[in-house]
Structures are given as structure tokens and as C-alpha cells.
mmCIF file of all heavy atoms in Angstrom:
data_model
loop_
_atom_site.group_PDB
_atom_site.id
_atom_site.type_symbol
_atom_site.label_atom_id
_atom_site.label_comp_id
_atom_site.label_asym_id
_atom_site.label_seq_id
_atom_site.Cartn_x
_atom_site.Cartn_y
_atom_site.Cartn_z
ATOM 1 N N LEU Y 1 -5.460 27.833 -9.419
ATOM 2 C CA LEU Y 1 -6.680 28.327 -8.934
ATOM 3 C C LEU Y 1 -6.868 29.818 -9.373
ATOM 4 O O LEU Y 1 -5.946 30.627 -9.070
ATOM 5 C CB LEU Y 1 -6.686 28.166 -7.391
ATOM 6 C CG LEU Y 1 -6.725 26.696 -6.799
ATOM 7 C CD1 LEU Y 1 -6.991 26.773 -5.327
ATOM 8 C CD2 LEU Y 1 -7.880 25.868 -7.507
ATOM 9 N N ILE Y 2 -7.989 30.017 -9.920
ATOM 10 C CA ILE Y 2 -8.204 31.487 -10.445
ATOM 11 C C ILE Y 2 -8.874 32.248 -9.366
ATOM 12 O O ILE Y 2 -10.033 31.866 -8.874
ATOM 13 C CB ILE Y 2 -9.016 31.452 -11.748
ATOM 14 C CG1 ILE Y 2 -8.275 30.523 -12.717
ATOM 15 C CG2 ILE Y 2 -8.972 32.840 -12.323
ATOM 16 C CD1 ILE Y 2 -6.858 30.852 -13.145
ATOM 17 N N ASP Y 3 -8.392 33.406 -8.989
ATOM 18 C CA ASP Y 3 -9.060 34.347 -8.118
ATOM 19 C C ASP Y 3 -9.345 35.492 -8.875
ATOM 20 O O ASP Y 3 -8.538 36.503 -9.036
ATOM 21 C CB ASP Y 3 -8.157 34.729 -6.926
ATOM 22 C CG ASP Y 3 -8.918 35.494 -5.754
ATOM 23 O OD1 ASP Y 3 -9.865 36.079 -6.161
ATOM 24 O OD2 ASP Y 3 -8.488 35.214 -4.635
ATOM 25 N N SER Y 4 -10.672 35.651 -9.428
ATOM 26 C CA SER Y 4 -10.969 36.745 -10.353
ATOM 27 C C SER Y 4 -11.102 38.150 -9.577
ATOM 28 O O SER Y 4 -11.106 39.202 -10.140
ATOM 29 C CB SER Y 4 -12.201 36.410 -11.065
ATOM 30 O OG SER Y 4 -13.288 36.090 -10.092
ATOM 31 N N HIS Y 5 -11.307 37.982 -8.242
ATOM 32 C CA HIS Y 5 -11.460 39.241 -7.392
ATOM 33 C C HIS Y 5 -10.112 40.009 -7.136
ATOM 34 O O HIS Y 5 -10.124 41.176 -7.235
ATOM 35 C CB HIS Y 5 -12.128 38.842 -6.051
ATOM 36 C CG HIS Y 5 -13.510 38.262 -6.295
ATOM 37 N ND1 HIS Y 5 -14.601 38.933 -6.884
ATOM 38 C CD2 HIS Y 5 -13.893 37.011 -6.034
ATOM 39 C CE1 HIS Y 5 -15.614 38.197 -6.794
ATOM 40 N NE2 HIS Y 5 -15.271 37.032 -6.414
ATOM 41 N N THR Y 6 -9.061 39.224 -6.900
ATOM 42 C CA THR Y 6 -7.753 39.858 -6.483
ATOM 43 C C THR Y 6 -6.704 39.631 -7.618
ATOM 44 O O THR Y 6 -5.685 40.302 -7.538
ATOM 45 C CB THR Y 6 -7.252 39.227 -5.218
ATOM 46 O OG1 THR Y 6 -6.980 37.938 -5.429
ATOM 47 C CG2 THR Y 6 -8.299 39.421 -4.153
ATOM 48 N N ASN Y 7 -7.067 38.821 -8.559
ATOM 49 C CA ASN Y 7 -6.078 38.397 -9.619
ATOM 50 C C ASN Y 7 -4.840 37.859 -8.997
ATOM 51 O O ASN Y 7 -3.716 37.775 -9.511
ATOM 52 C CB ASN Y 7 -5.768 39.790 -10.462
ATOM 53 C CG ASN Y 7 -6.851 40.063 -11.317
ATOM 54 O OD1 ASN Y 7 -7.584 39.207 -11.853
ATOM 55 N ND2 ASN Y 7 -6.980 41.414 -11.503
ATOM 56 N N ARG Y 8 -4.957 37.207 -7.864
ATOM 57 C CA ARG Y 8 -3.851 36.534 -7.163
ATOM 58 C C ARG Y 8 -3.956 35.086 -7.252
ATOM 59 O O ARG Y 8 -4.451 34.363 -6.372
ATOM 60 C CB ARG Y 8 -3.695 36.961 -5.662
ATOM 61 C CG ARG Y 8 -3.303 38.454 -5.541
ATOM 62 C CD ARG Y 8 -3.151 38.922 -4.097
ATOM 63 N NE ARG Y 8 -2.877 40.200 -3.928
ATOM 64 C CZ ARG Y 8 -2.798 40.820 -2.727
ATOM 65 N NH1 ARG Y 8 -3.129 40.121 -1.622
ATOM 66 N NH2 ARG Y 8 -2.462 42.101 -2.594
ATOM 67 N N ASN Y 9 -3.747 34.596 -8.463
ATOM 68 C CA ASN Y 9 -3.915 33.214 -8.653
ATOM 69 C C ASN Y 9 -2.868 32.320 -7.890
ATOM 70 O O ASN Y 9 -1.707 32.884 -7.619
ATOM 71 C CB ASN Y 9 -3.890 32.833 -10.168
ATOM 72 C CG ASN Y 9 -4.885 33.497 -10.902
ATOM 73 O OD1 ASN Y 9 -5.910 33.985 -10.385
ATOM 74 N ND2 ASN Y 9 -4.703 33.651 -12.259
ATOM 75 N N LYS Y 10 -3.150 31.095 -7.601
ATOM 76 C CA LYS Y 10 -2.106 30.343 -7.016
ATOM 77 C C LYS Y 10 -2.070 28.852 -7.651
ATOM 78 O O LYS Y 10 -3.090 28.320 -8.026
ATOM 79 C CB LYS Y 10 -2.314 30.302 -5.496
ATOM 80 C CG LYS Y 10 -3.631 29.612 -4.965
ATOM 81 C CD LYS Y 10 -3.605 29.608 -3.501
ATOM 82 C CE LYS Y 10 -4.961 29.033 -3.050
ATOM 83 N NZ LYS Y 10 -5.055 28.954 -1.539
ATOM 84 N N LEU Y 11 -0.954 28.216 -7.487
ATOM 85 C CA LEU Y 11 -0.737 26.872 -7.891
ATOM 86 C C LEU Y 11 -0.930 25.919 -6.778
ATOM 87 O O LEU Y 11 -0.415 26.136 -5.606
ATOM 88 C CB LEU Y 11 0.657 26.710 -8.526
ATOM 89 C CG LEU Y 11 1.026 27.491 -9.775
ATOM 90 C CD1 LEU Y 11 2.446 27.332 -10.056
ATOM 91 C CD2 LEU Y 11 0.200 26.915 -10.994
ATOM 92 N N VAL Y 12 -1.649 24.842 -6.971
ATOM 93 C CA VAL Y 12 -1.864 23.833 -5.916
ATOM 94 C C VAL Y 12 -1.745 22.406 -6.554
ATOM 95 O O VAL Y 12 -1.991 22.245 -7.720
ATOM 96 C CB VAL Y 12 -3.379 24.007 -5.296
ATOM 97 C CG1 VAL Y 12 -3.479 25.350 -4.597
ATOM 98 C CG2 VAL Y 12 -4.421 23.791 -6.347
ATOM 99 N N PRO Y 13 -1.371 21.484 -5.722
ATOM 100 C CA PRO Y 13 -1.340 20.023 -6.213
ATOM 101 C C PRO Y 13 -2.822 19.509 -6.291
ATOM 102 O O PRO Y 13 -3.542 19.467 -5.357
ATOM 103 C CB PRO Y 13 -0.554 19.209 -5.173
ATOM 104 C CG PRO Y 13 -0.717 20.182 -3.926
ATOM 105 C CD PRO Y 13 -0.880 21.583 -4.314
ATOM 106 N N ALA Y 14 -3.124 19.033 -7.494
ATOM 107 C CA ALA Y 14 -4.473 18.569 -7.752
ATOM 108 C C ALA Y 14 -4.851 17.358 -6.956
ATOM 109 O O ALA Y 14 -6.021 17.011 -6.592
ATOM 110 C CB ALA Y 14 -4.743 18.307 -9.149
ATOM 111 N N CYS Y 15 -3.785 16.529 -6.599
ATOM 112 C CA CYS Y 15 -4.066 15.214 -6.006
ATOM 113 C C CYS Y 15 -4.556 15.325 -4.550
ATOM 114 O O CYS Y 15 -5.197 14.364 -3.970
ATOM 115 C CB CYS Y 15 -2.875 14.303 -5.987
ATOM 116 S SG CYS Y 15 -1.504 14.935 -5.051
ATOM 117 N N VAL Y 16 -4.242 16.490 -3.861
ATOM 118 C CA VAL Y 16 -4.635 16.590 -2.440
ATOM 119 C C VAL Y 16 -5.611 17.690 -2.177
ATOM 120 O O VAL Y 16 -5.988 18.003 -1.019
ATOM 121 C CB VAL Y 16 -3.388 16.718 -1.523
ATOM 122 C CG1 VAL Y 16 -2.678 15.318 -1.465
ATOM 123 C CG2 VAL Y 16 -2.531 17.798 -1.890
ATOM 124 N N THR Y 17 -5.808 18.589 -3.122
ATOM 125 C CA THR Y 17 -6.655 19.774 -2.978
ATOM 126 C C THR Y 17 -8.139 19.493 -3.254
ATOM 127 O O THR Y 17 -8.454 19.085 -4.348
ATOM 128 C CB THR Y 17 -6.236 20.906 -3.947
ATOM 129 O OG1 THR Y 17 -4.864 21.214 -3.661
ATOM 130 C CG2 THR Y 17 -7.034 22.125 -3.589
ATOM 131 N N PRO Y 18 -8.951 19.545 -2.260
ATOM 132 C CA PRO Y 18 -10.396 19.185 -2.382
ATOM 133 C C PRO Y 18 -11.078 20.302 -3.186
ATOM 134 O O PRO Y 18 -10.771 21.480 -3.140
ATOM 135 C CB PRO Y 18 -10.958 19.128 -0.949
ATOM 136 C CG PRO Y 18 -9.988 19.873 -0.231
ATOM 137 C CD PRO Y 18 -8.696 19.895 -0.761
ATOM 138 N N VAL Y 19 -12.060 19.871 -4.001
ATOM 139 C CA VAL Y 19 -12.875 20.927 -4.673
ATOM 140 C C VAL Y 19 -13.809 21.488 -3.769
ATOM 141 O O VAL Y 19 -14.382 21.013 -2.767
ATOM 142 C CB VAL Y 19 -13.729 20.103 -5.679
ATOM 143 C CG1 VAL Y 19 -14.767 21.092 -6.454
ATOM 144 C CG2 VAL Y 19 -12.845 19.540 -6.863
ATOM 145 N N SER Y 20 -14.055 22.798 -3.922
ATOM 146 C CA SER Y 20 -14.916 23.565 -3.003
ATOM 147 C C SER Y 20 -15.877 24.344 -4.012
ATOM 148 O O SER Y 20 -15.619 24.618 -5.172
ATOM 149 C CB SER Y 20 -14.216 24.537 -2.157
ATOM 150 O OG SER Y 20 -13.434 25.535 -2.941
ATOM 151 N N ALA Y 21 -17.062 24.738 -3.393
ATOM 152 C CA ALA Y 21 -18.081 25.358 -4.194
ATOM 153 C C ALA Y 21 -17.608 26.669 -4.773
ATOM 154 O O ALA Y 21 -16.896 27.413 -4.037
ATOM 155 C CB ALA Y 21 -19.281 25.588 -3.242
ATOM 156 N N ASN Y 22 -17.903 26.827 -5.992
ATOM 157 C CA ASN Y 22 -17.605 28.069 -6.716
ATOM 158 C C ASN Y 22 -16.093 28.195 -7.007
ATOM 159 O O ASN Y 22 -15.623 29.227 -7.457
ATOM 160 C CB ASN Y 22 -18.089 29.278 -5.968
ATOM 161 C CG ASN Y 22 -19.526 29.247 -5.841
ATOM 162 O OD1 ASN Y 22 -20.299 28.885 -6.690
ATOM 163 N ND2 ASN Y 22 -20.007 29.514 -4.622
ATOM 164 N N MET Y 23 -15.363 27.109 -6.640
ATOM 165 C CA MET Y 23 -13.865 27.193 -7.119
ATOM 166 C C MET Y 23 -13.644 27.242 -8.691
ATOM 167 O O MET Y 23 -14.573 26.698 -9.342
ATOM 168 C CB MET Y 23 -13.202 25.895 -6.556
ATOM 169 C CG MET Y 23 -11.799 25.766 -6.980
ATOM 170 S SD MET Y 23 -11.096 24.216 -6.470
ATOM 171 C CE MET Y 23 -10.865 24.379 -4.665
ATOM 172 N N GLU Y 24 -12.658 27.971 -9.058
ATOM 173 C CA GLU Y 24 -12.330 28.051 -10.469
ATOM 174 C C GLU Y 24 -10.900 27.536 -10.708
ATOM 175 O O GLU Y 24 -10.022 28.114 -10.101
ATOM 176 C CB GLU Y 24 -12.492 29.342 -11.009
ATOM 177 C CG GLU Y 24 -12.231 29.541 -12.473
ATOM 178 C CD GLU Y 24 -12.565 30.931 -13.102
ATOM 179 O OE1 GLU Y 24 -13.112 31.810 -12.382
ATOM 180 O OE2 GLU Y 24 -12.292 31.143 -14.302
ATOM 181 N N VAL Y 25 -10.783 26.503 -11.503
ATOM 182 C CA VAL Y 25 -9.515 25.746 -11.778
ATOM 183 C C VAL Y 25 -9.227 25.781 -13.230
ATOM 184 O O VAL Y 25 -10.110 25.615 -14.010
ATOM 185 C CB VAL Y 25 -9.600 24.317 -11.163
ATOM 186 C CG1 VAL Y 25 -8.317 23.609 -11.503
ATOM 187 C CG2 VAL Y 25 -10.028 24.262 -9.809
ATOM 188 N N MET Y 26 -7.951 26.155 -13.530
ATOM 189 C CA MET Y 26 -7.371 25.894 -14.854
ATOM 190 C C MET Y 26 -6.289 24.905 -14.804
ATOM 191 O O MET Y 26 -5.356 25.094 -14.078
ATOM 192 C CB MET Y 26 -6.906 27.210 -15.462
ATOM 193 C CG MET Y 26 -8.034 28.355 -15.526
ATOM 194 S SD MET Y 26 -9.304 27.923 -16.736
ATOM 195 C CE MET Y 26 -8.388 28.039 -18.367
ATOM 196 N N THR Y 27 -6.453 23.897 -15.619
ATOM 197 C CA THR Y 27 -5.467 22.721 -15.503
ATOM 198 C C THR Y 27 -4.226 22.914 -16.313
ATOM 199 O O THR Y 27 -3.235 22.251 -16.151
ATOM 200 C CB THR Y 27 -6.145 21.473 -15.810
ATOM 201 O OG1 THR Y 27 -6.500 21.408 -17.196
ATOM 202 C CG2 THR Y 27 -7.333 21.227 -14.913
ATOM 203 N N HIS Y 28 -4.310 23.698 -17.424
ATOM 204 C CA HIS Y 28 -3.141 23.796 -18.372
ATOM 205 C C HIS Y 28 -2.753 25.136 -18.799
ATOM 206 O O HIS Y 28 -2.524 25.479 -19.829
ATOM 207 C CB HIS Y 28 -3.452 22.987 -19.609
ATOM 208 C CG HIS Y 28 -3.620 21.466 -19.405
ATOM 209 N ND1 HIS Y 28 -4.784 20.798 -18.825
ATOM 210 C CD2 HIS Y 28 -2.755 20.432 -19.425
ATOM 211 C CE1 HIS Y 28 -4.609 19.527 -18.741
ATOM 212 N NE2 HIS Y 28 -3.314 19.244 -19.100
ATOM 213 N N THR Y 29 -2.736 26.064 -17.613
ATOM 214 C CA THR Y 29 -2.169 27.323 -18.002
ATOM 215 C C THR Y 29 -0.695 27.287 -18.101
ATOM 216 O O THR Y 29 -0.009 26.280 -17.725
ATOM 217 C CB THR Y 29 -2.462 28.356 -16.824
ATOM 218 O OG1 THR Y 29 -1.851 27.804 -15.584
ATOM 219 C CG2 THR Y 29 -4.063 28.381 -16.552
ATOM 220 N N LEU Y 30 -0.097 28.359 -18.593
ATOM 221 C CA LEU Y 30 1.407 28.431 -18.734
ATOM 222 C C LEU Y 30 2.083 28.244 -17.322
ATOM 223 O O LEU Y 30 3.064 27.530 -17.210
ATOM 224 C CB LEU Y 30 1.864 29.764 -19.321
ATOM 225 C CG LEU Y 30 3.329 29.932 -19.528
ATOM 226 C CD1 LEU Y 30 3.918 28.832 -20.502
ATOM 227 C CD2 LEU Y 30 3.536 31.337 -20.177
ATOM 228 N N ASN Y 31 1.488 28.838 -16.333
ATOM 229 C CA ASN Y 31 2.113 28.588 -14.965
ATOM 230 C C ASN Y 31 2.093 27.153 -14.452
ATOM 231 O O ASN Y 31 2.984 26.670 -14.005
ATOM 232 C CB ASN Y 31 1.345 29.539 -13.942
ATOM 233 C CG ASN Y 31 1.635 30.977 -14.075
ATOM 234 O OD1 ASN Y 31 2.674 31.363 -14.600
ATOM 235 N ND2 ASN Y 31 0.725 31.790 -13.577
ATOM 236 N N ALA Y 32 0.954 26.522 -14.755
ATOM 237 C CA ALA Y 32 0.854 25.144 -14.382
ATOM 238 C C ALA Y 32 1.792 24.226 -15.164
ATOM 239 O O ALA Y 32 2.484 23.381 -14.555
ATOM 240 C CB ALA Y 32 -0.686 24.590 -14.504
ATOM 241 N N ILE Y 33 1.830 24.389 -16.434
ATOM 242 C CA ILE Y 33 2.659 23.635 -17.222
ATOM 243 C C ILE Y 33 4.219 23.840 -16.934
ATOM 244 O O ILE Y 33 5.015 22.939 -16.855
ATOM 245 C CB ILE Y 33 2.512 23.787 -18.778
ATOM 246 C CG1 ILE Y 33 1.110 23.326 -19.128
ATOM 247 C CG2 ILE Y 33 3.521 23.217 -19.628
ATOM 248 C CD1 ILE Y 33 0.637 23.685 -20.547
ATOM 249 N N THR Y 34 4.566 25.056 -16.627
ATOM 250 C CA THR Y 34 5.875 25.402 -16.246
ATOM 251 C C THR Y 34 6.205 24.738 -14.917
ATOM 252 O O THR Y 34 7.391 24.254 -14.792
ATOM 253 C CB THR Y 34 6.088 26.926 -16.206
ATOM 254 O OG1 THR Y 34 5.813 27.515 -17.436
ATOM 255 C CG2 THR Y 34 7.523 27.295 -15.822
ATOM 256 N N ALA Y 35 5.352 24.790 -14.003
ATOM 257 C CA ALA Y 35 5.653 24.241 -12.662
ATOM 258 C C ALA Y 35 5.768 22.627 -12.867
ATOM 259 O O ALA Y 35 6.700 22.142 -12.168
ATOM 260 C CB ALA Y 35 4.431 24.582 -11.699
ATOM 261 N N ARG Y 36 5.078 22.077 -13.648
ATOM 262 C CA ARG Y 36 5.194 20.613 -13.887
ATOM 263 C C ARG Y 36 6.565 20.276 -14.536
ATOM 264 O O ARG Y 36 7.258 19.358 -13.982
ATOM 265 C CB ARG Y 36 4.064 20.041 -14.762
ATOM 266 C CG ARG Y 36 2.703 20.147 -14.125
ATOM 267 C CD ARG Y 36 1.621 19.906 -15.095
ATOM 268 N NE ARG Y 36 0.313 20.230 -14.635
ATOM 269 C CZ ARG Y 36 -0.783 20.238 -15.430
ATOM 270 N NH1 ARG Y 36 -0.703 19.984 -16.737
ATOM 271 N NH2 ARG Y 36 -1.929 20.618 -14.860
ATOM 272 N N ARG Y 37 6.862 21.014 -15.477
ATOM 273 C CA ARG Y 37 8.153 20.797 -16.184
ATOM 274 C C ARG Y 37 9.319 21.062 -15.197
ATOM 275 O O ARG Y 37 10.368 20.202 -15.199
ATOM 276 C CB ARG Y 37 8.328 21.724 -17.403
ATOM 277 C CG ARG Y 37 7.491 21.342 -18.536
ATOM 278 C CD ARG Y 37 7.614 22.479 -19.595
ATOM 279 N NE ARG Y 37 9.038 22.664 -20.111
ATOM 280 C CZ ARG Y 37 9.544 21.897 -20.957
ATOM 281 N NH1 ARG Y 37 8.912 21.045 -21.693
ATOM 282 N NH2 ARG Y 37 10.793 22.104 -21.327
ATOM 283 N N MET Y 38 9.217 22.066 -14.415
ATOM 284 C CA MET Y 38 10.373 22.301 -13.485
ATOM 285 C C MET Y 38 10.428 21.228 -12.407
ATOM 286 O O MET Y 38 11.623 20.673 -12.002
ATOM 287 C CB MET Y 38 10.095 23.624 -12.791
ATOM 288 C CG MET Y 38 11.182 24.027 -11.820
ATOM 289 S SD MET Y 38 11.133 25.771 -11.176
ATOM 290 C CE MET Y 38 11.290 26.613 -12.676
ATOM 291 N N ALA Y 39 9.223 20.612 -11.939
ATOM 292 C CA ALA Y 39 9.282 19.630 -11.016
ATOM 293 C C ALA Y 39 10.005 18.367 -11.508
ATOM 294 O O ALA Y 39 10.850 17.690 -10.883
ATOM 295 C CB ALA Y 39 7.935 19.234 -10.544
ATOM 296 N N VAL Y 40 9.713 18.100 -12.752
ATOM 297 C CA VAL Y 40 10.260 16.868 -13.354
ATOM 298 C C VAL Y 40 11.833 17.150 -13.681
ATOM 299 O O VAL Y 40 12.599 16.190 -13.499
ATOM 300 C CB VAL Y 40 9.507 16.493 -14.763
ATOM 301 C CG1 VAL Y 40 10.230 15.294 -15.481
ATOM 302 C CG2 VAL Y 40 8.106 15.973 -14.368
#
């Protein structure tokens, strides 16, 4: 999840996180891919 105001992005599980208005999501950033690899 991209927070353009604070630059404090965070990782969330897509399967349980509901979409909200004006949300900004990046699905394949380095952080997201690294987290997935580490989980596996």
C-alpha cells in the first residue's frame, strides 16, 4: 500500500484486505516480491 503523504508504505495480505476509496496498491514492488519469497 502506497502512502504518498508520509512515504510510509506498508505490506498487507491481498486476500483479506478490502479495497477502500482512493487506496493506492502496487502488486509487484521489490518489497512485495521479497516478502512473498521469504514466506515461501
